[in-house]
Amino acid sequence: MHTLFHNVPASREDYSAVTKSTIFPLPFCGHRWIVNLPVVERAVVVSPSLHLYMEAVRTKKLPNPGTASFDTIEAALKDPLILAKLQFYMTVARNPFLKEYQTDEPVMLFLSKDLAKLIKVMKLALHIIIRNLVTCH
């Protein structure tokens, strides 16, 4: 998301004009989940504005930037579960497990116990999601 507007003043201006927002996506770090928590939180916040921007491009009110990042965002926003996926990512990234084990300290001795606890929580979350899906359909 960030690359669509980073160093592209025309796209930033078009986005701000259509959405009346000056809040833009943040840059993604490819190797640490914890560092990306603010990035994903911002993605959830700007999602409605991105939908407005994409709609303006689709209806030819704005020019199509014709970049790979635009195509990627367009495809992602077509996914009906994108916000659920981002929320799941935030849940995992907020888990203390990642903070404790993305360190240079010797913590491997505690891994099995904490991993079992994490799996138990994830199974419970998956059960709740499945139950909600079944009752919705």
Side-chain angles (χ1 to χ4, degrees), residues 50-101:
L50 279 172
H51 278 284
L52 287 173
Y53 177 75
M54 294 296 180
E55 182 62 24
V57 171
R58 191 184 66 73
T59 59
K60 307 224 186 283
K61 292 178 184 172
L62 293 176
N64 186 330
T67 61
S69 58
F70 177 84
D71 297 339
T72 302
I73 293 170
E74 185 177 39
L77 291 177
K78 287 179 182 176
D79 181 357
L81 296 176
I82 190 65
L83 289 178
K85 291 174 183 178
L86 293 173
Q87 292 290 342
F88 178 79
Y89 184 101
M90 289 190 305
T91 301
V92 172
R94 286 183 182 132
N95 192 304
F97 180 84
L98 289 179
K99 290 178 186 168
E100 292 173 16
Y101 287 96

Side-chain angles (χ1 to χ4, degrees), residues 32-132:
R32 289 184 66 101
W33 278 51
I34 297 170
V35 175
N36 289 319
L37 182 58
V39 176
V40 176
E41 290 171 338
R42 177 70 63 89
V44 170
V45 169
V46 301
S47 177
S49 297
L50 279 172
H51 278 284
L52 287 173
Y53 177 75
M54 294 296 180
E55 182 62 24
V57 171
R58 191 184 66 73
T59 59
K60 307 224 186 283
K61 292 178 184 172
L62 293 176
N64 186 330
T67 61
S69 58
F70 177 84
D71 297 339
T72 302
I73 293 170
E74 185 177 39
L77 291 177
K78 287 179 182 176
D79 181 357
L81 296 176
I82 190 65
L83 289 178
K85 291 174 183 178
L86 293 173
Q87 292 290 342
F88 178 79
Y89 184 101
M90 289 190 305
T91 301
V92 172
R94 286 183 182 132
N95 192 304
F97 180 84
L98 289 179
K99 290 178 186 168
E100 292 173 16
Y101 287 96
Q102 284 190 351
T103 180
D104 293 331
E105 302 295 322
V107 293
M108 291 302 287
L109 299 171
F110 312 105
L111 180 64
S112 63
K113 184 179 109 183
D114 290 344
L115 195 54
K117 201 183 313 180
L118 176 65
I119 290 171
K120 185 177 178 182
V121 168
M122 299 308 268
K123 283 173 63 175
L124 177 63
L126 184 60
H127 177 72
I128 291 169
I129 290 169
I130 291 172
R131 190 177 65 210
N132 286 340

